[in-house]
Amino acid sequence: MTTTALPISAHPAVEGGLQLEVTSVSVQTESIVSIILANPSGGTLPSYVPGSHLVVQYGDGVNAYSLTGSGNAPSEYAISVLRVEDGAGGSMAMHQLAVGDRVYVSRPRSAFAPVSTATHHLLVAAGIGITPVLSHARAAADRGTTSSLIYVYRPGAGAHVDEARELLGPALTECSNRTGFQEVLTEQLASQNLGTHLYVCGPGAFMDGVLGQARELGWPEARLHSEAFGAAELDEGEPFSVNLVRSGIKLEVPAGVSLLETLENAGKTIPNMCRKGICGECSLSVLRGAPQHRDLYLTDEEKAENTTMMCCVSRSEDPELELDL
Amino acid sequence: MSINIDKNPESDVLPERIRRFPFPFTAEQYRYSANVEPAHKTVETEAGAWGAGLIDIDEFYLQELADRDQILTRDPSRMQVLPHMRPAVWDALTAVLSSMAEDYPDTMSFHREGNTCRWQNTLQNLNIEFTAGDDDSLPGGPMRFLGSQIQDDIVLLDIREDTMWLDAGLVSFAADWSFSFDVGMNFLEIHGPVPRVKEENIVRRAEQFLMRLQPGEQFRRTNWTMTIGQRLDTSTETYPEWGPDRGTIATDPDLPDKLHLRVEVQHLIRLPHTGVVMFLIRSYLLSLTDIAKVPVWREKLGHVLAELPEDMAEYKGIIRYRKAASDWLLAS
Amino acid sequence: MRSVSMPSAAGSGLEPGFRGVICASFGVTGDTAGHDTGDRPRHDLRFVSANPEALADLRSVLGCSHVGVRLVLAGPPADIRAAAAAAAECGLLEEEMTLLCDEAGPRVVYCPHCRARTTVGAAGTEAECSGCATTLFIADHFSRRMGAYLGYSAHVEEAS
Ligand code: HEM
Ligand code: FES
Ligand SMILES: [Zn+2]
């Protein structure tokens, strides 16, 4: 990676990630653009699990976008962005990117992985929800597994339609109205061999409808996989402050920075091992305030007592915590 | 396996096998815990240091790989890949080789262009081109090949149905378990024979942690037991060969030379393309005689063995001789 | 052994795309009759044991079933565990199977020393391996894929 300074510093959600260059911007539909990102110094990018997303920084905010490739030793990352007029601004900023611009991105994150034992992937997408399932379809083809896709989009507003047609041939069903879609979906859900898994991506109500129908037809949870696009959890938490009673100092814990890191930066030595909330080494005594417990170590009862917290991952429900430190 | 006898046993410089040994005890008693920490972190010990890299290559490299090759030829069940794990094996191989090339730039290199890969390992006079995804492009296939490049045993766990499944691996040096029997089990089932961990919820917690790791993340933990003789293969398969020593070692005058502390440095890595959890088990043996050369180690191990609860000592298979061992360590 | 209540799926009788409940009983003690399938269509199979033909029948019934199907297995552990392993290979998930186990029936022990599997009675903690004649201690460690308990050479450490 080059180290050319970007005008802004990296957001915590993309820390430890990559700095990439926009190599192509192409219009998919009136409101969707596809953006290709590559390593400015050339070379392969980290592989990713099909269905992964990339957290991309715009200004001082971040947004998550699904990668559309198969993820096998890629030389570029491709994402497609729907312009949301009243959103937080990320999609508008993304639509202004031009070839040659540099962006900070996270390493690809996986939250919608294919099931390796599936012998067939039944993919269902609505609108921009096409992006992660396109990744699934490509990866399935790579692995020699079959997939079929039901793709719902408003006439003229479908992204990646040509790629889907080429990739899936007769295994693609395009729908532009509700009743047509319902018929196809019911027919497909009732006619899958035992190796099939279902993957859905689209607006929340759409996914709820598809998953609900699958359950009614006897599909168990383990065969159902879904991702709410654009809603990938970044998990950086809210800022809060801590009052170290014995040391007589007060520290601010910013969003995206852990309490453990904040204490270390202030010169405190806190025993720690995993820094992931499982080993139990970094436990602190809480004197006042309710911690927001995000660890795997404390039992539910211990968490409810609010007298102990794991400072490597846990934060605060209250604006301030008092610690026995 | 062979141990190089020190040319000058009187010198104050401890031999490499002691300086690099990952002595696991920080206190005078030992209990199970979810002892995971980020990988690639050097740990200083009283005798030296360990843990800077992912794949550790030491003076026993060629010897251990030759041992493994013989074991696999005799018993092919030590390597298994369920059909859906083929892509994960390639994911594991390319991830490990590129990490080795980074850690050992003087002796190794790895280049990948699309699916065409070139691997050089001068420790084995190897310079080989293969195609990622094509099982026939490597001698013995990708799993066997990976097992011929690293001393670690390899286990791959697939994530499905909200748990992890041990669906592939190459384990020639199991410590008192049977890989071929465990293939296809989930994480909880694998740990069924281990005392305490279910009650203490360690296994379920560890599993949640591993399933939440993002691709590319690397963690590690240590585990330990004791082994009689310089043998890494103490699998259930060969138990009739090595099991009888457990009944005789306590009264054997050669106990300090024959009895070894066995430490496993276990890496836990989410693979980038398949999201599979790769579990690497790197095993180290050090005789009590060697341990005793580091006074702090001698004392710590002596106390740990004396204090270890019965159920744990029974499970680890050391119950018949741990007293003899701790008596020797604490008396010398 | 073929199913009695209906002809086996191979020749069919089971409508293709079945999404109801398949109830398979093994041996004299296996009985799914009491298992209530509600208003879902039901297909009964009865086998003497989980021998290769029985497992082939089960596979072919599952092979022409569709997602939504459920499987109920009743009988001794040795049989229903083998059937469950075969069903898993056909793509059926744990959530989709119900095992009604006759705990008093025979079970299977795996010998890691020679890799043979031996069917043994429910009682007892030791058994002789049918492959290498080693006396095996039967551990409380079970593999679904093998449908077997782990055995290992007993009394080895008492040699001295
Ligand atoms: C993810 C990969 C892992 C695999 C494949 C694995 C496998 C095993 C196996 C095969 C055994 C021997 C069981 C037997 O006696 O049959 C074992 C023991 C054990 N495992 Fe794991 N393990 C893994 C991760 C972990 C983790 C993350 C922890 C804890 C944080 C853990 C804790 C233990 C403990 C405490 C024992 C008992 C060891 C002893 O006393 O010798 N394991 N493991
Ligand atoms: S460091 Fe392990 S729980 Fe915080
Ligand atoms: Zn045998």
Side-chain angles (χ1 to χ4, degrees), chain A residues 143-166:
Chain A
R143 289 186 53 165
T145 314
T146 57
S147 60
S148 51
L149 167 59
I150 310 174
Y151 182 15
V152 192
Y153 59 88
R154 277 182 294 112
H160 299 290
V161 173
D162 291 340
E163 284 158 274
R165 285 179 187 157
E166 193 180 326

Side-chain angles (χ1 to χ4, degrees), chain A residues 44 46-50 52-53 70-73 107-111 113-118 139 142-143 197 222 272-281 294-298, chain B residues 33-38 41 83-87 91 112-115 132 158-161 167 201-202 205-206 208-209 212-215 217 219-221 270-275:
Chain A
T44 309
S47 294
Y48 57 88
V49 178
S52 288
H53 60 270
S70 78
N72 179 35
R107 299 234 155 204
R109 300 176 63 85
S110 168
V115 173
S116 64
T117 49
D142 256 17
R143 289 186 53 165
H197 281 251
N272 69 85
M273 186 168 186
C274 68
R275 304 178 80 95
K276 280 275 187 179
I278 104 148
C279 73
E281 289 287 318
R294 311 204 297 182
D295 64 281
L296 293 164
Y297 181 78
L298 295 172
Chain B
S33 69
N35 57 332
V36 295
E37 62 181 355
K41 207 176 77 189
H84 61 276
M85 297 300 277
R86 282 193 46 238
D91 210 5
R112 177 170 188 174
E113 198 63 53
N115 283 333
D158 193 31
I159 298 183
R160 305 188 306 272
E161 299 172 56
D167 284 347
N201 204 21
I202 291 171
R205 243 191 303 137
Q208 286 296 318
F209 162 77
R212 287 182 196 187
L213 288 185
Q214 277 298 323
E217 287 196 271
F219 280 75
R220 74 178 179 214
R221 65 184 293 267
R270 281 298 288 274
L271 294 172
H273 183 43
T274 55

Side-chain angles (χ1 to χ4, degrees), chain C residues 111 114 129 132:
Chain C
C111 171
C114 74
C129 174
C132 64

